[in-house]
Amino acid sequence: MSSIEWKEKAYDDAYSETLASLERKRAEDPGFSADDARGVLKHLYIQDGNDWVGRGELQDISIRATIDAYERFIAEWESGRAR
């Protein structure tokens, strides 16, 4: 696996797992709201910016993918395009 392939796979895995988890949570928990997801996203932004100890490339990729999945999930939910 090339140095780019493992990064793409790590991103894709984290992104799809996060999105599936959010969709499952929405389907199974009637109390879960877009505001709840936005609250988590707010903390993910903070975590992303708090890299003062050097997380490493894999953790950076994972956090970026998780943030991207949350942003997509919230945007689709609010636009009525959610699955």
Side-chain angles (χ1 to χ4, degrees):
M1 185 176 290
S2 77
S3 64
I4 294 175
E5 288 174 330
W6 76 263
K7 293 174 189 179
E8 290 173 351
K9 179 168 178 11
Y11 179 94
D12 291 345
D13 289 349
Y15 182 89
S16 61
E17 288 170 13
T18 300
L19 200 53
S21 175
L22 286 165
E23 290 167 352
R24 193 170 42 254
K25 175 91 170 162
R26 183 175 182 204
E28 295 173 359
D29 182 355
F32 182 64
S33 69
D35 282 338
D36 295 327
R38 268 193 296 280
V40 173
L41 181 58
K42 178 183 172 186
H43 290 285
L44 287 167
Y45 289 143
I46 292 167
Q47 183 180 2
D48 187 37
N50 287 342
D51 188 18
W52 58 272
V53 294
R55 283 185 291 263
E57 196 168 9
L58 181 57
Q59 278 300 95
D60 287 340
I61 290 167
S62 178
I63 289 172
R64 183 78 254 150
T66 301
I67 287 171
D68 289 350
Y70 266 85
E71 289 174 339
R72 174 183 170 188
F73 177 78
I74 293 166
E76 287 183 355
W77 189 344
E78 292 177 338
S79 72
R81 295 185 317 229
R83 298 177 200 186

mmCIF file of all heavy atoms in Angstrom, residues 1-46:
data_model
loop_
_atom_site.group_PDB
_atom_site.id
_atom_site.type_symbol
_atom_site.label_atom_id
_atom_site.label_comp_id
_atom_site.label_asym_id
_atom_site.label_seq_id
_atom_site.Cartn_x
_atom_site.Cartn_y
_atom_site.Cartn_z
ATOM 1 N N MET A 1 0.845 -1.166 0.000
ATOM 2 C CA MET A 1 0.000 0.000 0.000
ATOM 3 C C MET A 1 0.897 1.238 0.000
ATOM 4 O O MET A 1 1.811 1.345 0.807
ATOM 5 C CB MET A 1 -0.906 -0.031 1.240
ATOM 6 C CG MET A 1 -1.909 1.069 1.274
ATOM 7 S SD MET A 1 -3.076 0.986 2.665
ATOM 8 C CE MET A 1 -4.059 -0.428 2.248
ATOM 9 N N SER A 2 0.595 2.163 -0.896
ATOM 10 C CA SER A 2 1.428 3.365 -1.005
ATOM 11 C C SER A 2 1.175 4.316 0.161
ATOM 12 O O SER A 2 0.225 4.161 0.920
ATOM 13 C CB SER A 2 1.143 4.086 -2.321
ATOM 14 O OG SER A 2 -0.075 4.792 -2.237
ATOM 15 N N SER A 3 2.025 5.313 0.271
ATOM 16 C CA SER A 3 1.889 6.278 1.358
ATOM 17 C C SER A 3 0.620 7.108 1.223
ATOM 18 O O SER A 3 0.130 7.658 2.203
ATOM 19 C CB SER A 3 3.110 7.189 1.415
ATOM 20 O OG SER A 3 3.201 7.959 0.236
ATOM 21 N N ILE A 4 0.075 7.191 0.044
ATOM 22 C CA ILE A 4 -1.178 7.922 -0.158
ATOM 23 C C ILE A 4 -2.376 7.008 0.058
ATOM 24 O O ILE A 4 -3.378 7.424 0.629
ATOM 25 C CB ILE A 4 -1.215 8.550 -1.567
ATOM 26 C CG1 ILE A 4 -0.144 9.626 -1.668
ATOM 27 C CG2 ILE A 4 -2.578 9.119 -1.878
ATOM 28 C CD1 ILE A 4 0.010 10.233 -3.023
ATOM 29 N N GLU A 5 -2.265 5.760 -0.359
ATOM 30 C CA GLU A 5 -3.389 4.826 -0.244
ATOM 31 C C GLU A 5 -3.816 4.611 1.202
ATOM 32 O O GLU A 5 -5.008 4.590 1.497
ATOM 33 C CB GLU A 5 -3.038 3.485 -0.890
ATOM 34 C CG GLU A 5 -2.995 3.530 -2.395
ATOM 35 C CD GLU A 5 -2.513 2.232 -2.996
ATOM 36 O OE1 GLU A 5 -1.713 1.520 -2.356
ATOM 37 O OE2 GLU A 5 -2.935 1.927 -4.120
ATOM 38 N N TRP A 6 -2.880 4.455 2.122
ATOM 39 C CA TRP A 6 -3.274 4.207 3.503
ATOM 40 C C TRP A 6 -3.967 5.429 4.092
ATOM 41 O O TRP A 6 -4.887 5.305 4.905
ATOM 42 C CB TRP A 6 -2.097 3.766 4.374
ATOM 43 C CG TRP A 6 -1.140 4.838 4.796
ATOM 44 C CD1 TRP A 6 0.040 5.167 4.216
ATOM 45 C CD2 TRP A 6 -1.287 5.737 5.908
ATOM 46 N NE1 TRP A 6 0.640 6.209 4.884
ATOM 47 C CE2 TRP A 6 -0.163 6.588 5.934
ATOM 48 C CE3 TRP A 6 -2.271 5.915 6.884
ATOM 49 C CZ2 TRP A 6 0.011 7.586 6.886
ATOM 50 C CZ3 TRP A 6 -2.096 6.910 7.836
ATOM 51 C CH2 TRP A 6 -0.971 7.736 7.830
ATOM 52 N N LYS A 7 -3.574 6.621 3.664
ATOM 53 C CA LYS A 7 -4.217 7.840 4.142
ATOM 54 C C LYS A 7 -5.647 7.929 3.627
ATOM 55 O O LYS A 7 -6.567 8.285 4.381
ATOM 56 C CB LYS A 7 -3.427 9.076 3.696
ATOM 57 C CG LYS A 7 -2.073 9.189 4.333
ATOM 58 C CD LYS A 7 -1.289 10.350 3.747
ATOM 59 C CE LYS A 7 0.149 10.344 4.208
ATOM 60 N NZ LYS A 7 0.924 11.444 3.631
ATOM 61 N N GLU A 8 -5.833 7.619 2.359
ATOM 62 C CA GLU A 8 -7.177 7.642 1.777
ATOM 63 C C GLU A 8 -8.075 6.605 2.440
ATOM 64 O O GLU A 8 -9.236 6.876 2.734
ATOM 65 C CB GLU A 8 -7.108 7.398 0.277
ATOM 66 C CG GLU A 8 -6.500 8.556 -0.486
ATOM 67 C CD GLU A 8 -6.277 8.263 -1.959
ATOM 68 O OE1 GLU A 8 -6.432 7.097 -2.393
ATOM 69 O OE2 GLU A 8 -5.918 9.213 -2.681
ATOM 70 N N LYS A 9 -7.529 5.419 2.694
ATOM 71 C CA LYS A 9 -8.305 4.368 3.349
ATOM 72 C C LYS A 9 -8.663 4.773 4.782
ATOM 73 O O LYS A 9 -9.797 4.588 5.219
ATOM 74 C CB LYS A 9 -7.554 3.050 3.360
ATOM 75 C CG LYS A 9 -8.332 1.939 4.052
ATOM 76 C CD LYS A 9 -7.738 0.594 3.826
ATOM 77 C CE LYS A 9 -8.431 -0.549 4.513
ATOM 78 N NZ LYS A 9 -9.708 -0.329 5.128
ATOM 79 N N ALA A 10 -7.714 5.345 5.506
ATOM 80 C CA ALA A 10 -7.975 5.781 6.877
ATOM 81 C C ALA A 10 -9.075 6.844 6.896
ATOM 82 O O ALA A 10 -9.983 6.793 7.729
ATOM 83 C CB ALA A 10 -6.696 6.317 7.516
ATOM 84 N N TYR A 11 -9.000 7.790 5.973
ATOM 85 C CA TYR A 11 -10.021 8.834 5.889
ATOM 86 C C TYR A 11 -11.382 8.227 5.555
ATOM 87 O O TYR A 11 -12.381 8.497 6.226
ATOM 88 C CB TYR A 11 -9.636 9.876 4.833
ATOM 89 C CG TYR A 11 -10.674 10.959 4.681
ATOM 90 C CD1 TYR A 11 -10.563 12.142 5.393
ATOM 91 C CD2 TYR A 11 -11.772 10.783 3.833
ATOM 92 C CE1 TYR A 11 -11.529 13.135 5.268
ATOM 93 C CE2 TYR A 11 -12.740 11.769 3.712
ATOM 94 C CZ TYR A 11 -12.625 12.933 4.426
ATOM 95 O OH TYR A 11 -13.586 13.900 4.310
ATOM 96 N N ASP A 12 -11.424 7.416 4.502
ATOM 97 C CA ASP A 12 -12.684 6.808 4.062
ATOM 98 C C ASP A 12 -13.316 5.960 5.163
ATOM 99 O O ASP A 12 -14.535 6.009 5.365
ATOM 100 C CB ASP A 12 -12.476 5.959 2.809
ATOM 101 C CG ASP A 12 -12.143 6.790 1.578
ATOM 102 O OD1 ASP A 12 -12.349 8.034 1.599
ATOM 103 O OD2 ASP A 12 -11.649 6.198 0.589
ATOM 104 N N ASP A 13 -12.502 5.186 5.877
ATOM 105 C CA ASP A 13 -13.020 4.341 6.958
ATOM 106 C C ASP A 13 -13.611 5.187 8.085
ATOM 107 O O ASP A 13 -14.723 4.933 8.543
ATOM 108 C CB ASP A 13 -11.920 3.431 7.517
ATOM 109 C CG ASP A 13 -11.519 2.318 6.571
ATOM 110 O OD1 ASP A 13 -12.216 2.095 5.551
ATOM 111 O OD2 ASP A 13 -10.485 1.673 6.846
ATOM 112 N N ALA A 14 -12.875 6.196 8.525
ATOM 113 C CA ALA A 14 -13.360 7.051 9.619
ATOM 114 C C ALA A 14 -14.613 7.812 9.196
ATOM 115 O O ALA A 14 -15.571 7.928 9.967
ATOM 116 C CB ALA A 14 -12.264 8.019 10.060
ATOM 117 N N TYR A 15 -14.614 8.312 7.982
ATOM 118 C CA TYR A 15 -15.757 9.072 7.470
ATOM 119 C C TYR A 15 -17.008 8.196 7.408
ATOM 120 O O TYR A 15 -18.063 8.556 7.937
ATOM 121 C CB TYR A 15 -15.416 9.625 6.085
ATOM 122 C CG TYR A 15 -16.502 10.481 5.476
ATOM 123 C CD1 TYR A 15 -16.543 11.843 5.724
ATOM 124 C CD2 TYR A 15 -17.469 9.924 4.646
ATOM 125 C CE1 TYR A 15 -17.527 12.637 5.158
ATOM 126 C CE2 TYR A 15 -18.458 10.704 4.083
ATOM 127 C CZ TYR A 15 -18.483 12.066 4.342
ATOM 128 O OH TYR A 15 -19.476 12.845 3.784
ATOM 129 N N SER A 16 -16.892 7.035 6.781
ATOM 130 C CA SER A 16 -18.069 6.175 6.614
ATOM 131 C C SER A 16 -18.562 5.616 7.947
ATOM 132 O O SER A 16 -19.770 5.511 8.171
ATOM 133 C CB SER A 16 -17.792 5.059 5.608
ATOM 134 O OG SER A 16 -16.745 4.235 6.044
ATOM 135 N N GLU A 17 -17.644 5.292 8.858
ATOM 136 C CA GLU A 17 -18.052 4.794 10.176
ATOM 137 C C GLU A 17 -18.770 5.880 10.976
ATOM 138 O O GLU A 17 -19.775 5.610 11.630
ATOM 139 C CB GLU A 17 -16.841 4.284 10.953
ATOM 140 C CG GLU A 17 -16.289 2.986 10.409
ATOM 141 C CD GLU A 17 -14.948 2.601 11.023
ATOM 142 O OE1 GLU A 17 -14.546 3.196 12.052
ATOM 143 O OE2 GLU A 17 -14.292 1.710 10.461
ATOM 144 N N THR A 18 -18.270 7.098 10.904
ATOM 145 C CA THR A 18 -18.908 8.205 11.620
ATOM 146 C C THR A 18 -20.286 8.494 11.046
ATOM 147 O O THR A 18 -21.262 8.647 11.792
ATOM 148 C CB THR A 18 -18.035 9.474 11.560
ATOM 149 O OG1 THR A 18 -16.762 9.185 12.158
ATOM 150 C CG2 THR A 18 -18.696 10.631 12.288
ATOM 151 N N LEU A 19 -20.399 8.558 9.742
ATOM 152 C CA LEU A 19 -21.675 8.840 9.102
ATOM 153 C C LEU A 19 -22.692 7.743 9.420
ATOM 154 O O LEU A 19 -23.847 8.042 9.768
ATOM 155 C CB LEU A 19 -21.475 8.987 7.595
ATOM 156 C CG LEU A 19 -22.544 9.722 6.821
ATOM 157 C CD1 LEU A 19 -22.830 11.095 7.406
ATOM 158 C CD2 LEU A 19 -22.122 9.850 5.366
ATOM 159 N N ALA A 20 -22.280 6.493 9.355
ATOM 160 C CA ALA A 20 -23.186 5.388 9.676
ATOM 161 C C ALA A 20 -23.631 5.454 11.136
ATOM 162 O O ALA A 20 -24.808 5.213 11.456
ATOM 163 C CB ALA A 20 -22.511 4.046 9.385
ATOM 164 N N SER A 21 -22.719 5.792 12.017
ATOM 165 C CA SER A 21 -23.046 5.909 13.433
ATOM 166 C C SER A 21 -24.055 7.030 13.671
ATOM 167 O O SER A 21 -25.008 6.871 14.452
ATOM 168 C CB SER A 21 -21.769 6.166 14.233
ATOM 169 O OG SER A 21 -22.063 6.401 15.584
ATOM 170 N N LEU A 22 -23.861 8.160 13.021
ATOM 171 C CA LEU A 22 -24.795 9.274 13.167
ATOM 172 C C LEU A 22 -26.178 8.926 12.625
ATOM 173 O O LEU A 22 -27.199 9.251 13.237
ATOM 174 C CB LEU A 22 -24.248 10.520 12.458
ATOM 175 C CG LEU A 22 -23.096 11.207 13.163
ATOM 176 C CD1 LEU A 22 -22.402 12.187 12.219
ATOM 177 C CD2 LEU A 22 -23.587 11.912 14.421
ATOM 178 N N GLU A 23 -26.220 8.261 11.490
ATOM 179 C CA GLU A 23 -27.500 7.862 10.903
ATOM 180 C C GLU A 23 -28.225 6.859 11.805
ATOM 181 O O GLU A 23 -29.440 6.942 12.000
ATOM 182 C CB GLU A 23 -27.282 7.287 9.506
ATOM 183 C CG GLU A 23 -26.861 8.359 8.517
ATOM 184 C CD GLU A 23 -26.325 7.814 7.206
ATOM 185 O OE1 GLU A 23 -26.130 6.585 7.080
ATOM 186 O OE2 GLU A 23 -26.072 8.628 6.298
ATOM 187 N N ARG A 24 -27.481 5.929 12.380
ATOM 188 C CA ARG A 24 -28.054 4.947 13.310
ATOM 189 C C ARG A 24 -28.589 5.652 14.555
ATOM 190 O O ARG A 24 -29.694 5.380 15.016
ATOM 191 C CB ARG A 24 -26.999 3.909 13.650
ATOM 192 C CG ARG A 24 -27.497 2.689 14.345
ATOM 193 C CD ARG A 24 -26.445 1.575 14.447
ATOM 194 N NE ARG A 24 -25.105 2.029 14.783
ATOM 195 C CZ ARG A 24 -24.071 2.091 13.926
ATOM 196 N NH1 ARG A 24 -24.238 1.717 12.679
ATOM 197 N NH2 ARG A 24 -22.885 2.503 14.308
ATOM 198 N N LYS A 25 -27.815 6.585 15.079
ATOM 199 C CA LYS A 25 -28.226 7.337 16.269
ATOM 200 C C LYS A 25 -29.520 8.103 15.995
ATOM 201 O O LYS A 25 -30.439 8.095 16.815
ATOM 202 C CB LYS A 25 -27.106 8.296 16.675
ATOM 203 C CG LYS A 25 -27.440 9.214 17.802
ATOM 204 C CD LYS A 25 -27.067 8.611 19.108
ATOM 205 C CE LYS A 25 -27.188 9.653 20.217
ATOM 206 N NZ LYS A 25 -27.256 9.059 21.509
ATOM 207 N N ARG A 26 -29.590 8.736 14.855
ATOM 208 C CA ARG A 26 -30.803 9.497 14.513
ATOM 209 C C ARG A 26 -32.011 8.579 14.385
ATOM 210 O O ARG A 26 -33.115 8.921 14.833
ATOM 211 C CB ARG A 26 -30.596 10.272 13.223
ATOM 212 C CG ARG A 26 -31.807 11.124 12.887
ATOM 213 C CD ARG A 26 -31.587 11.995 11.683
ATOM 214 N NE ARG A 26 -32.782 12.796 11.465
ATOM 215 C CZ ARG A 26 -33.117 13.309 10.314
ATOM 216 N NH1 ARG A 26 -32.342 13.141 9.267
ATOM 217 N NH2 ARG A 26 -34.217 14.019 10.188
ATOM 218 N N ALA A 27 -31.819 7.414 13.801
ATOM 219 C CA ALA A 27 -32.928 6.481 13.608
ATOM 220 C C ALA A 27 -33.392 5.848 14.918
ATOM 221 O O ALA A 27 -34.582 5.582 15.102
ATOM 222 C CB ALA A 27 -32.513 5.387 12.621
ATOM 223 N N GLU A 28 -32.464 5.618 15.835
ATOM 224 C CA GLU A 28 -32.794 4.883 17.058
ATOM 225 C C GLU A 28 -33.102 5.759 18.262
ATOM 226 O O GLU A 28 -33.686 5.288 19.230
ATOM 227 C CB GLU A 28 -31.637 3.936 17.400
ATOM 228 C CG GLU A 28 -31.426 2.848 16.370
ATOM 229 C CD GLU A 28 -30.187 2.015 16.619
ATOM 230 O OE1 GLU A 28 -29.450 2.271 17.599
ATOM 231 O OE2 GLU A 28 -29.940 1.090 15.812
ATOM 232 N N ASP A 29 -32.682 7.016 18.239
ATOM 233 C CA ASP A 29 -32.843 7.890 19.394
ATOM 234 C C ASP A 29 -33.711 9.089 19.029
ATOM 235 O O ASP A 29 -33.227 10.049 18.428
ATOM 236 C CB ASP A 29 -31.473 8.360 19.892
ATOM 237 C CG ASP A 29 -31.542 9.232 21.129
ATOM 238 O OD1 ASP A 29 -32.665 9.577 21.580
ATOM 239 O OD2 ASP A 29 -30.469 9.593 21.656
ATOM 240 N N PRO A 30 -34.991 9.064 19.411
ATOM 241 C CA PRO A 30 -35.875 10.169 19.050
ATOM 242 C C PRO A 30 -35.484 11.504 19.698
ATOM 243 O O PRO A 30 -35.886 12.557 19.230
ATOM 244 C CB PRO A 30 -37.255 9.725 19.532
ATOM 245 C CG PRO A 30 -37.015 8.606 20.472
ATOM 246 C CD PRO A 30 -35.673 8.021 20.156
ATOM 247 N N GLY A 31 -34.682 11.463 20.743
ATOM 248 C CA GLY A 31 -34.242 12.677 21.400
ATOM 249 C C GLY A 31 -33.014 13.310 20.767
ATOM 250 O O GLY A 31 -32.636 14.427 21.124
ATOM 251 N N PHE A 32 -32.388 12.613 19.842
ATOM 252 C CA PHE A 32 -31.186 13.118 19.175
ATOM 253 C C PHE A 32 -31.585 14.177 18.165
ATOM 254 O O PHE A 32 -32.459 13.964 17.324
ATOM 255 C CB PHE A 32 -30.450 11.965 18.495
ATOM 256 C CG PHE A 32 -29.169 12.359 17.814
ATOM 257 C CD1 PHE A 32 -28.099 12.848 18.540
ATOM 258 C CD2 PHE A 32 -29.032 12.229 16.450
ATOM 259 C CE1 PHE A 32 -26.911 13.198 17.914
ATOM 260 C CE2 PHE A 32 -27.855 12.557 15.810
ATOM 261 C CZ PHE A 32 -26.790 13.055 16.552
ATOM 262 N N SER A 33 -30.964 15.340 18.230
ATOM 263 C CA SER A 33 -31.321 16.447 17.339
ATOM 264 C C SER A 33 -30.100 16.955 16.577
ATOM 265 O O SER A 33 -28.954 16.643 16.925
ATOM 266 C CB SER A 33 -31.914 17.599 18.159
ATOM 267 O OG SER A 33 -30.908 18.188 18.968
ATOM 268 N N ALA A 34 -30.384 17.782 15.578
ATOM 269 C CA ALA A 34 -29.297 18.415 14.837
ATOM 270 C C ALA A 34 -28.470 19.293 15.784
ATOM 271 O O ALA A 34 -27.253 19.403 15.622
ATOM 272 C CB ALA A 34 -29.852 19.231 13.674
ATOM 273 N N ASP A 35 -29.117 19.886 16.770
ATOM 274 C CA ASP A 35 -28.373 20.690 17.752
ATOM 275 C C ASP A 35 -27.396 19.821 18.548
ATOM 276 O O ASP A 35 -26.298 20.266 18.874
ATOM 277 C CB ASP A 35 -29.326 21.398 18.719
ATOM 278 C CG ASP A 35 -29.965 22.623 18.104
ATOM 279 O OD1 ASP A 35 -29.407 23.173 17.136
ATOM 280 O OD2 ASP A 35 -31.032 23.033 18.598
ATOM 281 N N ASP A 36 -27.788 18.596 18.868
ATOM 282 C CA ASP A 36 -26.876 17.679 19.559
ATOM 283 C C ASP A 36 -25.647 17.405 18.694
ATOM 284 O O ASP A 36 -24.510 17.433 19.173
ATOM 285 C CB ASP A 36 -27.567 16.353 19.884
ATOM 286 C CG ASP A 36 -28.708 16.496 20.871
ATOM 287 O OD1 ASP A 36 -28.629 17.380 21.755
ATOM 288 O OD2 ASP A 36 -29.677 15.723 20.753
ATOM 289 N N ALA A 37 -25.878 17.147 17.415
ATOM 290 C CA ALA A 37 -24.767 16.883 16.491
ATOM 291 C C ALA A 37 -23.884 18.124 16.347
ATOM 292 O O ALA A 37 -22.659 18.015 16.324
ATOM 293 C CB ALA A 37 -25.309 16.441 15.133
ATOM 294 N N ARG A 38 -24.504 19.305 16.298
ATOM 295 C CA ARG A 38 -23.724 20.540 16.217
ATOM 296 C C ARG A 38 -22.875 20.744 17.471
ATOM 297 O O ARG A 38 -21.754 21.243 17.395
ATOM 298 C CB ARG A 38 -24.642 21.748 16.015
ATOM 299 C CG ARG A 38 -24.870 22.097 14.565
ATOM 300 C CD ARG A 38 -25.512 23.452 14.389
ATOM 301 N NE ARG A 38 -26.853 23.518 14.955
ATOM 302 C CZ ARG A 38 -27.940 23.065 14.374
ATOM 303 N NH1 ARG A 38 -27.857 22.494 13.193
ATOM 304 N NH2 ARG A 38 -29.112 23.164 14.954
ATOM 305 N N GLY A 39 -23.385 20.350 18.629
ATOM 306 C CA GLY A 39 -22.611 20.454 19.868
ATOM 307 C C GLY A 39 -21.363 19.590 19.822
ATOM 308 O O GLY A 39 -20.279 20.024 20.236
ATOM 309 N N VAL A 40 -21.513 18.367 19.331
ATOM 310 C CA VAL A 40 -20.346 17.485 19.193
ATOM 311 C C VAL A 40 -19.370 18.077 18.182
ATOM 312 O O VAL A 40 -18.159 18.082 18.407
ATOM 313 C CB VAL A 40 -20.773 16.056 18.787
ATOM 314 C CG1 VAL A 40 -19.562 15.198 18.480
ATOM 315 C CG2 VAL A 40 -21.628 15.418 19.873
ATOM 316 N N LEU A 41 -19.908 18.573 17.072
ATOM 317 C CA LEU A 41 -19.059 19.164 16.041
ATOM 318 C C LEU A 41 -18.255 20.338 16.601
ATOM 319 O O LEU A 41 -17.059 20.479 16.299
ATOM 320 C CB LEU A 41 -19.905 19.611 14.851
ATOM 321 C CG LEU A 41 -19.166 20.226 13.673
ATOM 322 C CD1 LEU A 41 -18.107 19.272 13.102
ATOM 323 C CD2 LEU A 41 -20.153 20.641 12.589
ATOM 324 N N LYS A 42 -18.875 21.145 17.429
ATOM 325 C CA LYS A 42 -18.165 22.268 18.057
ATOM 326 C C LYS A 42 -16.942 21.762 18.833
ATOM 327 O O LYS A 42 -15.858 22.324 18.735
ATOM 328 C CB LYS A 42 -19.111 23.013 18.991
ATOM 329 C CG LYS A 42 -18.475 24.149 19.735
ATOM 330 C CD LYS A 42 -19.457 24.796 20.698
ATOM 331 C CE LYS A 42 -18.753 25.801 21.575
ATOM 332 N NZ LYS A 42 -19.643 26.346 22.604
ATOM 333 N N HIS A 43 -17.124 20.683 19.570
ATOM 334 C CA HIS A 43 -16.012 20.129 20.336
ATOM 335 C C HIS A 43 -14.959 19.477 19.438
ATOM 336 O O HIS A 43 -13.771 19.503 19.752
ATOM 337 C CB HIS A 43 -16.525 19.151 21.391
ATOM 338 C CG HIS A 43 -17.259 19.845 22.491
ATOM 339 N ND1 HIS A 43 -16.622 20.559 23.475
ATOM 340 C CD2 HIS A 43 -18.575 19.971 22.745
ATOM 341 C CE1 HIS A 43 -17.508 21.087 24.289
ATOM 342 N NE2 HIS A 43 -18.710 20.752 23.863
ATOM 343 N N LEU A 44 -15.393 18.923 18.321
ATOM 344 C CA LEU A 44 -14.435 18.366 17.362
ATOM 345 C C LEU A 44 -13.562 19.469 16.762
ATOM 346 O O LEU A 44 -12.363 19.263 16.564
ATOM 347 C CB LEU A 44 -15.161 17.601 16.253
ATOM 348 C CG LEU A 44 -15.761 16.267 16.660
ATOM 349 C CD1 LEU A 44 -16.715 15.755 15.573
ATOM 350 C CD2 LEU A 44 -14.676 15.251 16.953
ATOM 351 N N TYR A 45 -14.160 20.634 16.498
ATOM 352 C CA TYR A 45 -13.366 21.762 16.006
ATOM 353 C C TYR A 45 -12.302 22.154 17.034
ATOM 354 O O TYR A 45 -11.152 22.422 16.681
ATOM 355 C CB TYR A 45 -14.246 22.978 15.722
ATOM 356 C CG TYR A 45 -15.148 22.879 14.517
ATOM 357 C CD1 TYR A 45 -16.424 23.437 14.544
ATOM 358 C CD2 TYR A 45 -14.741 22.264 13.342
ATOM 359 C CE1 TYR A 45 -17.266 23.382 13.443
ATOM 360 C CE2 TYR A 45 -15.563 22.193 12.236
ATOM 361 C CZ TYR A 45 -16.828 22.766 12.292
ATOM 362 O OH TYR A 45 -17.653 22.702 11.199
ATOM 363 N N ILE A 46 -12.691 22.183 18.291
ATOM 364 C CA ILE A 46 -11.748 22.519 19.362
ATOM 365 C C ILE A 46 -10.641 21.475 19.424
ATOM 366 O O ILE A 46 -9.455 21.802 19.499
ATOM 367 C CB ILE A 46 -12.473 22.660 20.711
ATOM 368 C CG1 ILE A 46 -13.388 23.886 20.687
ATOM 369 C CG2 ILE A 46 -11.468 22.739 21.861
ATOM 370 C CD1 ILE A 46 -14.370 23.954 21.837
#
